[in-house]
Amino acid sequence: MPDISTSLLDWYDQNARQLPWRSDISPYRTWVSEIMLQQTQVDTVIPYFERFILRFPDLPSLARASQADVLREWEGLGYYGRARNLHKAAQLLCQEHNCQLPADVEALRRLPGIGRYTAGAIASIAFGIAAPALDANIRRVLSRLLELREPAGSPAGEKILWEAAGRFLSQHRPGDHNQALMELGALVCTPKAPGCQRCPLSGECLAYAHGSQNDLPARAEKPAVPHFIVTAAVIQQGDKVLVAQRPQGGLLGGLWEFPGGKLETSDPDLPACLRREIREELGVEVCVGQSLGVFRHAYTHFRITLHAFACSLPPGEDIPVSEAVRWVTPSELAGFPMGKVDRLIARSLQARAA
DNA sequence: GACGCGTGGTC
DNA sequence: TGACCAAGCGT
């Protein structure tokens, strides 16, 4: 096992990007940045981090906020469970831990939204604790360094990689060491066309020695991505439209949408699909009118083509409002957190009304 | 332990 | 344009 830390940290000191969360380091800022960075690239996170910190500058301000306000700041970033858990954890910490993040890996690990990686990252970066971290970048760097044939993500591969992350770790600068490995993975040891010529670890890298860097890390086969046809109803009454809140647990949980759903084989056509969905969700028959557009969108595990329709209620029919069903004017839609496609529809309505 | 969970960039 | 990829976590 070579000592990679010295050359790694030297490289990091010369090449680290200046990022918002690398100045004014505090446990709170480190925490917010690490949650945002889960499965999300640095360039995407930067503007969200800046806005979020302006809006919620410290842990008490986040704990006091409403979930809708937190989700609105998160809108567009995806994986909204991260925002719900961040908010929940802030409230827990202010109830039980004096509004302080614990300086302890196991205690961090128990907070909602903090798993093995994030606990190690916060502990090492914010508190200087010698805890390893393993993310997609470090998996790739270490897989190549060790020329690991086990697929990253497999149980055997994970075991080897976590042990390696711990063995390599600098006891002196663990936070910089973890960030340096991630920085190296993001800037040099990239998935395609890795820059081995300018890599500080190429001399120790088994993959580079054998020319196998482009074939690593090994990957398991991925299943085919299904494609669904879905419909959405913009139900209009006077100058208002109906929006519904999605349940907390699942896809786009807690966000608002124009109701609708998947086309089933039993549906004769798109309007029939939409009438069925609205009947099932809201208990009323709607009149389906003109098309408001067709939207394609790719989620992680499936793809949709969404057909939006202007709809109206027959005379005498009504829909009772509730916590999760509201009639709002197009200009009020901006206050309701939404996913990508529904926001596109909402914006087209605002433009139409203006 | 396998699966569900968003979105944007890249090639 | 479609497939791949990304500072993972919860159930």
Side-chain angles (χ1 to χ4, degrees), chain A residues 4 8 11-12 17 137 140-141 144-145 178-190 195 198-202:
Chain A
I4 63 166
L8 178 67
W11 175 86
Y12 184 65
R17 289 170 289 183
N137 286 304
R140 185 169 59 253
V141 172
R144 286 171 174 163
L145 195 68
N178 284 331
Q179 292 188 86
L181 280 175
M182 292 188 271
E183 198 82 339
L184 190 66
L187 300 180
V188 176
C189 194
T190 47
R198 50 197 171 83
C199 177
L201 306 184
S202 58

Side-chain angles (χ1 to χ4, degrees), chain A residues 7 45 160 172 184 204 232 240 248 259 277 303 316 330 336 341:
Chain A
S7 45
V45 166
I160 293 168
H172 180 52
L184 190 66
E204 313 290 345
K240 297 193 172 179
Q248 291 289 322
E277 289 284 352
R303 178 184 309 273
F336 291 78
V341 177

Side-chain angles (χ1 to χ4, degrees), chain A residues 10 43 84 90 106 119 127 134 149 186 193 197 231 233 235 241 302 354:
Chain A
D10 285 347
D43 290 342
R84 297 194 301 271
E106 294 310 315
F127 296 114
L134 187 65
R149 296 300 182 182
Q197 306 303 331
T231 56
I235 306 173
V241 297
F302 60 94

Side-chain angles (χ1 to χ4, degrees), chain A residues 205-244:
Chain A
C205 182
L206 290 176
Y208 182 60
H210 300 149
S212 62
Q213 62 270 26
N214 289 314
D215 304 321
L216 295 174
R219 302 204 168 277
E221 276 192 39
K222 293 195 173 175
V225 177
H227 185 172
F228 301 116
I229 311 295
V230 305
T231 56
V234 178
I235 306 173
Q236 293 164 315
Q237 194 171 55
D239 61 345
K240 297 193 172 179
V241 297
L242 185 139
V243 288

Side-chain angles (χ1 to χ4, degrees), chain A residues 165-185:
Chain A
R167 281 202 308 277
F168 284 125
L169 183 63
S170 162
Q171 303 297 303
H172 180 52
R173 296 173 60 189
D176 285 341
H177 174 103
N178 284 331
Q179 292 188 86
L181 280 175
M182 292 188 271
E183 198 82 339
L184 190 66

